[in-house]
Amino acid sequence: NLRNSVSVVVKVALDGISFTTTLTELRKFVVYSVQVLAYTRLGDGALSTPPVRVQTFEDAPGAPSNVSFPDVSLTTARIIWDVPEEPNGQILAYRVNYHLQATGSLNFSREFVPSDRTYRAAELEPEQYYLFSVTAQTRLGWGKVAHALVYTTNNRETPQPPSAPQLSRSQVQAQQITFSWTPGRDGFAPLRYYTVQLAEGVGPWVSIQERVDPGVTSYTATALKPYTSYRFRIQATNDIGPSGWSVESSQVRTLPAAPSKEVSDVKVVPITTTSVRVEWQAIPEDYWSGDTETGGYRILFQPVSDFPTSLQATPKQEVKGIKTTQVVLTDLTRDRNYEIVVVPYNSQGSGPAAPPVAVYVGEAVPTGQPRGVVAEPVSSTEVRLRWQPPQQRDQNGDLLGYKIFYLATELAQDLSPEDKVEEELEVVPASYTSYSLVFLDKFTQYRIQILAFNPAGDGPRSTPVSVKTLQGLPGPPSDLRFSEITMTSLLVSWDPPKKRNGELIGYIVTYETAEQNERFSKQVKQKVSDTSLLVQTLEEEVTYTFTVRAQTI
């Protein structure tokens, strides 16, 4: 990681038995954070911790940046500059030289402290080109020189726009386009840089961050999308400011390329003792880089060994069509572990390979489903299941057990928006042909499926059966409230229970005096079918306690 801008660089050490490597092409006088990880064919391991921090050595600096002349007259010119983009150490000083371009003899040389990055040159000859040079110094010496030309005049102006970018078909590739242009007049202020903008299709203009050297008249736009239309335009900038934008180029399309995305969700299922079915998610059309007609998938497979062969030498099977999602590999060697890789391809080349998937060939998943599945409710929270194993010829080896999937499809209770109904799973041994699901929800419809599995994996699920648990006692009504209260009557209301647990037939409302005394006491129970009751003939200034219970069949 860099000190100022975070940039991650990866170096791969292919030799798995080496524990040293040399990092090259690093920036000078920069603090790096270094971590190491190990990887196998199946992916990357964890990064080493803590990161090791190391700083590269100091060196002479690069050239000062952004040299320009904001103020120029017939006899003066003020120069300004910025810190070098590659300081390579602590800047100690700057030095400015200048001379008439025509003579080449040195007129002036002066050094400045690091905080001074401007100087006004006086007593210059009018209407002449002067060549200025600026260099920086670190502890290890003077660095590279930045040169800048200036013309002494009172009539500077912004430059004319360059010509429209000229595109040649021979300079168009899948991910880059090269174009050229003719500069306009510089406005008596030498150009400092060009700015390039591009537009994808009919989309908006986007500036390329790189400043193009004013001495060149061609540029290569990189990191473009394959088989995509682009337009370009250019702007020139001198010390006065930017020109207008050039006329935009004609629209040109990059060439097709190999697929840019790997397949996902690769699964391998043994279907016989010598064959497997490979399944994957098809790549969306946008990632085929413009060549969908010749697209397809290449399945590479080989037995796992201590000395695996390269992908190019691995046996393979190809399937045409970008929407294909499976293939069956046959005539494999029994009792071997295979490694299988799926690679998208088209006529332009191969895309990135998916991580390899390992599978044991010699045992196949059951091809038959459990038979005669019957579900019967035993109580409000229990269901009894019975079934028969798959046909012997469909078991493909010894069964390890059964997986029972059950999902509530009709509930006898109200769920909040946050609650989700999810399918649940229970696993039982292969010797079982009956089983009880317990702790189920009351008076709830369930959808149940069973599958058999063996060491190779899961077989198909059985046809769904539906069963409803029996009714149970309902939960309490909610939100009990009172209204229309007078000296001798009131209206009591409530909401149905959140857990009905059956078919509600009514409610029992009980009310009684809160304190028992000799003067007056009362207890009343009343059945109602609605969710409210008008209670009358109450005693004045007496406190009553109300309870409401729901009833099911």
Side-chain angles (χ1 to χ4, degrees):
N1 291 332
L2 296 178
R3 179 177 54 195
N4 298 324
S5 59
V6 177
S7 175
V8 178
V9 181
V10 177
K11 176 174 181 178
V12 178
L14 295 176
D15 185 353
I17 61 174
S18 296
F19 300 102
T20 62
T21 190
T22 300
L23 304 178
T24 59
E25 300 182 10
L26 303 179
R27 294 178 60 187
K28 301 169 184 177
F29 201 62
V30 169
V31 176
Y32 283 87
S33 174
V34 181
Q35 292 175 278
V36 181
L37 64 79
Y39 69 95
T40 65
R41 293 190 301 270
L42 299 183
D44 294 343
L47 286 165
S48 61
T49 54
V52 175
R53 294 173 63 83
V54 61
Q55 184 174 34
T56 50
F57 293 151
E58 193 172 7
D59 198 359
S65 61
N66 299 327
V67 179
S68 63
F69 296 85
D71 304 316
V72 176
S73 69
L74 286 169
T75 59
T76 63
R78 185 168 70 91
I79 185 174
I80 61 174
W81 63 92
D82 286 336
V83 176
E85 293 183 357
E86 298 287 344
N88 301 337
Q90 181 177 355
I91 301 298
L92 302 178
Y94 292 101
R95 183 168 62 200
V96 174
N97 300 328
Y98 68 86
H99 59 81
L100 273 168
Q101 186 188 29
T103 64
S105 59
L106 183 64
N107 285 25
F108 178 87
S109 180
R110 178 176 172 180
E111 294 184 11
F112 301 87
V113 297
S115 59
D116 291 346
R117 295 201 296 274
T118 181
Y119 172 70
R120 181 181 295 276
E123 299 180 1
L124 304 179
E125 296 185 19
E127 297 184 348
Q128 296 291 327
Y129 280 104
Y130 280 84
L131 183 63
F132 282 71
S133 61
V134 186
T135 183
Q137 182 188 42
T138 65
R139 192 170 53 87
L140 294 185
W142 294 99
K144 295 182 179 180
V145 178
H147 298 282
L149 200 63
V150 65
Y151 185 72
T152 53
T153 179
N154 289 330
N155 301 317
R156 295 197 308 169
E157 59 186 12
T158 57
Q160 287 184 333
S163 68
Q166 301 299 310
L167 301 168
S168 170
R169 288 288 176 185
S170 63
Q171 297 297 313
V172 177
Q173 300 182 29
Q175 294 182 300
Q176 66 181 47
I177 296 175
T178 300
F179 52 87
S180 60
W181 62 89
T182 301
R185 289 194 308 109
D186 65 8
F188 297 107
L191 300 182
R192 299 306 174 199
Y193 59 88
Y194 289 105
T195 303
V196 176
Q197 283 190 337
L198 60 82
E200 183 180 321
V202 296
W205 289 103
V206 178
S207 294
I208 295 175
Q209 295 303 312
E210 176 186 3
R211 287 184 171 183
V212 180
D213 188 323
V216 304
T217 56
S218 66
Y219 182 76
T220 300
T222 59
L224 304 180
K225 297 178 183 178
Y227 204 66
T228 301
S229 296
Y230 287 95
R231 295 170 290 137
F232 299 91
R233 64 181 185 179
I234 309 170
Q235 182 184 67
T237 300
N238 63 14
D239 292 336
I240 303 302
S243 70
W245 289 101
S246 70
V247 176
E248 68 181 60
S249 70
S250 57
Q251 188 162 275
V252 64
R253 175 179 283 170
T254 51
L255 301 179
S260 61
K261 182 180 176 67
E262 65 184 41
V263 300
S264 60
D265 200 21
V266 179
K267 297 176 182 177
V268 183
V269 181
I271 53 177
T272 72
T273 55
T274 59
S275 64
V276 298
R277 181 173 63 251
V278 185
E279 303 171 346
W280 59 89
Q281 291 285 339
I283 297 176
E285 188 171 329
D286 291 346
Y287 296 99
W288 287 91
S289 303
D291 186 357
T292 58
E293 294 296 324
T294 65
Y297 299 90
R298 185 175 293 123
I299 294 82
L300 312 173
F301 56 96
Q302 65 177 344
V304 176
S305 69
D306 293 332
F307 305 98
T309 58
S310 65
L311 289 181
Q312 290 78 8
T314 300
K316 60 182 70 70
Q317 183 169 329
E318 295 181 352
V319 290
K320 294 287 188 180
I322 65 172
K323 297 188 182 300
T324 306
T325 58
Q326 66 176 37
V327 69
V328 174
L329 305 179
T330 59
D331 299 325
L332 304 179
T333 305
R334 291 188 60 169
D335 299 324
R336 297 291 300 272
N337 285 303
Y338 273 80
E339 198 171 69
I340 296 173
V341 176
V342 181
V343 181
Y345 75 94
N346 57 23
S347 61
Q348 310 301 319
S350 298
V357 176
V359 64
Y360 178 73
V361 176
E363 293 177 325
V365 299
T367 52
Q369 57 185 256
R371 299 171 296 148
V373 179
V374 176
E376 296 176 341
V378 177
S379 70
S380 60
T381 59
E382 180 180 352
V383 168
R384 186 71 176 171
L385 301 175
R386 299 194 308 275
W387 66 90
Q388 296 178 359
Q391 295 281 3
Q392 186 67 37
R393 65 176 183 274
D394 296 331
Q395 295 182 15
N396 295 330
D398 295 333
L399 298 182
L400 292 180
Y402 297 94
K403 294 181 181 179
I404 303 170
F405 299 87
Y406 56 102
L407 174 68
T409 56
E410 295 180 14
L411 302 175
Q413 57 181 314
D414 297 327
L415 295 180
S416 65
E418 298 81 27
D419 292 332
K420 292 183 179 179
V421 179
E422 296 182 348
E423 187 175 59
E424 299 185 66
L425 166 67
E426 295 198 24
V427 181
V428 298
S431 59
Y432 282 32
T433 57
S434 64
Y435 186 73
S436 288
L437 298 176
V438 295
F439 304 115
L440 304 178
D441 291 331
K442 299 173 182 178
F443 201 58
T444 298
Q445 185 92 13
Y446 284 90
R447 186 187 68 203
I448 300 173
Q449 292 177 283
I450 305 176
L451 64 77
F453 67 94
N454 64 16
D458 295 345
R461 293 190 184 191
S462 63
T463 303
V465 297
S466 294
V467 64
K468 196 169 194 176
T469 51
L470 301 179
Q471 298 192 65
L473 294 176
S478 60
D479 194 18
L480 188 65
R481 54 198 180 273
F482 301 95
S483 61
E484 301 179 17
I485 301 174
T486 70
M487 296 296 290
T488 60
S489 66
L490 58 79
L491 179 67
V492 58
S493 308
W494 58 90
D495 291 334
K498 293 187 180 299
K499 293 186 177 182
R500 296 182 293 277
N501 298 337
E503 296 180 5
L504 296 179
I505 61 172
Y507 301 88
I508 297 177
V509 180
T510 303
Y511 58 95
E512 58 184 335
T513 50
E515 297 179 0
Q516 300 292 331
N517 56 54
E518 297 179 355
R519 187 178 70 84
F520 178 80
S521 65
K522 185 177 185 180
Q523 183 181 53
V524 177
K525 290 187 178 181
Q526 187 169 343
K527 288 186 177 182
V528 296
S529 58
D530 205 351
T531 56
S532 64
L533 174 65
L534 180 61
V535 182
Q536 298 177 317
T537 67
L538 298 176
E539 190 74 11
E540 294 182 8
E541 297 183 358
V542 172
T543 302
Y544 289 85
T545 300
F546 282 77
T547 59
V548 180
R549 291 186 296 125
Q551 284 187 307
T552 56
I553 297 176

